[in-house]
């Protein structure tokens, strides 16, 4: 997929995040009448569906693409490494909600994992020692930030390190699902 091809096939509205099918030229069809049928059925209509992970996708010539990645390609003319939805809503593909990030930056904007039992990312209870521990994984390394018999102290250790490293305010919050 190239920026030119995606711009020829769909219209992307950066203010709403919508992708709408454009009329297709005959060159994309083997039969002369097929393009008329396709354009009658699809042109001017939304081009997206939702996948099993809750992201908007579009299928072009038999290949599925994530809409947020195509939106970036459409507007910036290049494929991003990773696209982060700034507000955490993976259905919100407005350009102002998308940013190209590294894997580490994307992890710094994650919500609380569904299997977390303490309610705070990076804070867990060590049953053997009967203390709360604070840890962080950063750039592939796990760091022990400290421990305390008091939950709030362990949370403060974790939050201080998040602030120092520039994690988003959303990081570690419970998902609004």
């Amino acid at each position: 997929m190239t920026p030119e091809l995606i711009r020829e096939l769909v219209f992307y509205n950066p203010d709403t995040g919508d992708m709408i099918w454009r009329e297709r030229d005959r060159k994309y069809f083997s039969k002369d009448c097929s393009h008329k049928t396709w354009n009658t059925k699809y042109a001017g209509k939304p081009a997206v569906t939702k996948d099993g992970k809750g992201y908007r996708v579009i299928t072009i010539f038999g290949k599925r693409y994530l809409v947020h990645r195509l939106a970036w390609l459409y507007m910036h003319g290049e494929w991003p490494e990773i696209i982060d939805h700034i507000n955490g809503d993976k259905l919100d593909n407005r350009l102002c909600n998308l940013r190209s990030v590294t894997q580490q930056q994307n992890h710094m904007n994650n919500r609380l994992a569904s299997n977390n039992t303490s309610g705070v990312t990076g804070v867990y209870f060590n049953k053997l020692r009967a203390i709360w521990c604070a840890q962080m994984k950063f750039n592939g390394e796990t760091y022990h930030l400290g421990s305390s018999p008091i939950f709030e102290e362990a949370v403060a250790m974790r939050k201080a390190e998040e602030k120092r490293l520039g994690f988003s305010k959303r990081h570690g919050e419970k998902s609004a699902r």
Side-chain angles (χ1 to χ4, degrees):
M1 182 61 60
T2 65
E4 296 78 22
L5 182 58
I6 190 62
R7 290 179 195 128
E8 183 180 346
L9 298 176
V10 299
F11 168 74
Y12 168 68
N13 182 332
D15 297 325
T16 65
D18 295 329
M19 281 202 171
I20 307 296
W21 289 118
R22 293 185 189 271
E23 283 195 17
R24 283 206 187 157
D25 191 274
R26 282 186 181 172
K27 68 183 176 185
Y28 294 112
F29 301 90
S30 58
K31 296 180 183 174
D32 279 343
C33 63
S34 296
H35 86 283
K36 289 180 184 176
T37 303
W38 192 94
N39 286 331
T40 300
K41 189 173 182 180
Y42 297 107
K45 296 188 174 87
V48 301
T49 58
K50 213 159 81 172
D51 72 2
K53 295 180 180 178
Y55 288 97
R56 293 188 197 267
V57 295
I58 182 172
T59 303
I60 300 173
F61 303 133
K63 185 170 181 187
R64 290 178 74 151
Y65 296 91
L66 293 165
V67 169
H68 55 276
R69 294 181 57 76
L70 282 181
W72 194 266
L73 177 68
Y74 187 104
M75 295 303 293
H76 296 286
E78 64 184 20
W79 282 106
E81 180 183 344
I82 295 171
I83 289 292
D84 176 45
H85 289 84
I86 297 167
N87 69 6
D89 181 355
K90 52 187 152 187
L91 296 176
D92 184 354
N93 292 311
R94 294 172 299 137
L95 189 61
C96 66
N97 188 45
L98 305 177
R99 65 182 180 149
S100 180
V101 296
T102 65
Q103 186 73 33
Q104 180 62 51
Q105 289 169 317
N106 198 40
H107 285 303
M108 292 168 67
N109 199 23
N110 287 344
R111 293 189 187 271
L112 184 67
S114 61
N115 64 349
N116 182 294
T117 57
S118 74
V120 179
T121 297
V123 176
Y124 66 94
F125 189 70
N126 181 323
K127 292 179 186 175
L128 187 63
R129 296 179 58 209
I131 57 171
W132 290 97
C133 300
Q135 70 179 21
M136 175 171 289
K137 189 169 187 174
F138 192 75
N139 289 332
E141 298 286 325
T142 301
Y143 299 94
H144 179 71
L145 304 173
S147 55
S148 171
I150 301 168
F151 172 73
E152 290 78 7
E153 288 180 5
V155 170
M157 290 176 214
R158 170 64 192 215
K159 295 298 180 190
E161 192 65 6
E162 286 178 7
K163 185 176 181 181
R164 187 183 78 77
L165 294 171
F167 278 58
S168 76
K169 289 184 169 93
R170 191 178 87 231
H171 182 81
E173 293 177 357
K174 289 192 177 185
S175 177
R177 291 179 207 174

